Amino acid sequence: DLATAQGLFSEIENVRGAFASRDSETVILAPPDLRGPLARFLAQFFPNIHVICHREVSQRVQIVSLGQLSLVNKSTAEQLAA
């Protein structure tokens, strides 16, 4: 839905700032079943973001997390906690 997409875009913009401050390309590590659909969806709006899954990362690569994306907005989280 629109609200979920807008929330995701907002979170991506925040995370992109962390990557930019490190002079790095933005990479999202996604679960294997979401990798393809998420990559196709985001490519329409963020063509320079790479979406990969853990299977595509060499064991020799050190992953540094600069943020975490969530599809749960604050109101949904509050409803789930109640």
Side-chain angles (χ1 to χ4, degrees), residues 2-64:
L2 181 60
T4 302
Q6 288 174 332
L8 179 61
F9 292 170
S10 175
E11 289 194 32
I12 288 172
E13 287 297 339
N14 292 337
V15 171
R16 285 178 70 189
F19 279 91
S21 70
R22 296 176 63 104
D23 197 28
S24 299
E25 294 185 44
T26 305
V27 178
I28 297 174
L29 185 62
D33 57 333
L34 290 179
R35 183 227 177 268
L38 183 60
R40 286 188 294 276
F41 177 71
L42 292 180
Q44 300 173 59
F45 308 98
F46 301 98
N48 296 327
I49 289 181
H50 307 283
V51 181
I52 62 173
C53 73
H54 69 275
R55 294 179 188 157
E56 298 173 287
V57 180
S58 169
Q59 292 179 351
R60 294 177 282 177
V61 172
Q62 181 180 0
I63 296 175
V64 176

